[in-house]
Structure formats: C-alpha cells, structure tokens
Amino acid sequence: LEEAASQLQQIFRIDISIALNILGIESMRAGHCRVGYTCFKLAADRGYSKAQFNVGLCYEHGRGTEKDLEKAAFYYCHAASSCHPMAQYRYGRYLLQHSPGHHWDSHQRALTLLERAAVAGITEAQAYLGVFYMRGLQPQEKKGLKYLLQAANRGDAQSRYHVGVCYEQGLGVQQSLAEALTHYREAAAAGNRHAQERLR
C-alpha cells in the first residue's frame, strides 16, 4: 500500500509539472512572460526537464525574468542531465563559449553533449559541430563534413552552403566544382545570401 501511495504521489507530481509547463507555454504565447516564467520555474524546481529547459530559455533571453547566462546554464545543465537534447546542445555550446581558459574537461564534456544532441537529431547541434570541427585548431574535416551534411539534409541552408565550400576547396572530400555548385544552388534557393553571392 505504501508503494502504491508513493507511486501515486510521483505520478501526481509529474502531472502537476506537465500542467505547469503547458500553462507556462500558453502564458508566453499570450505575452504574459512573467507568469510563464513563474510556471516554468515551479515545474523546473520539481525536476521536470522540459520546464528546466524553458527556465533556461527565459534566463538566456530575459523573458519574464532578468537576463542571466549563468542561471540559464544552470537550468540547461539540469535538463541536459535528464537527456533533454536541446538542453544538451545549449549547455554544450555554453561550456565551449564560456569556460574559463577553455578548460580541457569542460571542453570534452561540451563536445560529448553536443554530439549526443546531434545524434538525437538536433539540427543546430549538427551545424555547430560541423563548423567547430572544420575551424578548430586541429581541423577534423571529415568529421566536420559529416555533421554539416546531417544538418544540410535536415534543411539547414547555412550548412548546405558550408558543404558547398567543402567541395569547392576539397575539405574532407574530393574537390569537385560541379558538386559545390549543386550545394550552392540548393542553399541559394533556400535563401542563403552567402551561397547567392558565391554563385555570382
């Protein structure tokens, strides 16, 4: 009986968190950012990863609360530890951009989080890793191209443009101007300005 009661309490806690998160989303859509933030925060403090991610967004963009990147990272970190893919992307990006002296451990943790997000299908993570591996101190061009292609195949025009650059310059792939043109045309058709300029 005690176990059943405990399970009911847990279900009730999760249901409340889900309801609060939905209420937060609806409040944000209606322009009531402070109410939305409060709802997200209540659900986040109950350990609900989707709400933790939403609180992170509120702090990152200053919606319903003051802008605070460290607090955003704190909530992204909690959501990421519950395998929330978009939180993994945002927290990984934060670690790469804000780690003091680009500490090796946090650098590795960031890449692990970004790669998990990329595998989960987060286009932003794929695009970010593609550029990261292409431009690093020790470029890993084949790895970078792999991620750029993933993002491009999910409709990211900027990544499609970068794939064109890879083919034009022979980065991680056999140089091919015809293949570069194909990618530039696709990116340009999707409205990418750099690809449009490159085609001219």
Side-chain angles (χ1 to χ4, degrees):
L1 198 61
E2 279 181 28
E3 189 181 329
S6 171
Q7 286 177 347
L8 276 173
Q9 282 180 329
Q10 190 174 356
I11 289 165
F12 182 69
R13 202 164 43 243
I14 290 167
D15 284 349
I16 292 269
S17 299
I18 291 169
L20 283 167
N21 192 56
I22 291 168
L23 193 58
I25 292 167
E26 292 305 317
S27 297
M28 285 290 182
R29 283 187 184 145
H32 306 299
C33 295
R34 187 74 197 166
V35 174
Y37 163 77
T38 303
C39 292
F40 292 147
K41 182 89 166 55
L42 286 167
D45 291 345
R46 291 168 167 267
Y48 188 50
S49 64
K50 289 182 180 179
Q52 289 167 339
F53 172 73
N54 287 331
V55 171
L57 285 176
C58 289
Y59 278 119
E60 184 177 354
H61 301 291
R63 296 191 68 206
T65 186
E66 75 282 358
K67 196 171 185 173
D68 188 324
L69 286 182
E70 282 184 25
K71 285 183 181 175
F74 173 82
Y75 282 97
Y76 288 150
C77 176
H78 280 287
S81 68
S82 296
C83 299
H84 188 291
M86 198 64 181
Q88 290 173 331
Y89 160 65
R90 288 193 180 262
Y91 187 54
R93 194 183 68 181
Y94 174 85
L95 287 175
L96 281 181
Q97 293 173 350
H98 300 282
S99 293
H102 298 290
H103 196 265
W104 190 85
D105 285 343
S106 64
H107 185 83
Q108 287 308 115
R109 185 172 179 213
L111 288 178
T112 299
L113 287 167
L114 287 165
E115 286 175 358
R116 283 182 188 159
V119 167
I122 302 297
T123 307
E124 294 91 329
Q126 294 163 347
Y128 190 93
L129 282 171
V131 172
F132 176 83
Y133 284 122
M134 283 293 178
R135 292 185 177 164
L137 292 173
Q138 297 173 316
Q140 298 177 50
E141 292 168 355
K142 286 191 187 304
K143 204 170 187 179
L145 180 61
K146 177 188 91 166
Y147 284 115
L148 287 173
L149 277 167
Q150 286 176 4
N153 291 336
R154 292 180 66 87
D156 185 60
Q158 184 68 16
S159 293
R160 181 67 66 194
Y161 162 74
H162 286 304
V163 171
V165 172
C166 290
Y167 274 102
E168 185 180 356
Q169 297 178 6
L171 303 171
V173 72
Q174 182 71 42
Q175 188 177 27
S176 167
L177 293 181
E179 196 67 33
L181 267 175
T182 300
H183 290 285
Y184 287 148
R185 284 187 184 121
E186 277 188 51
N192 184 273
R193 189 175 44 81
H194 296 297
Q196 291 164 354
E197 289 169 7
R198 203 80 180 146
L199 281 172
R200 283 195 212 107

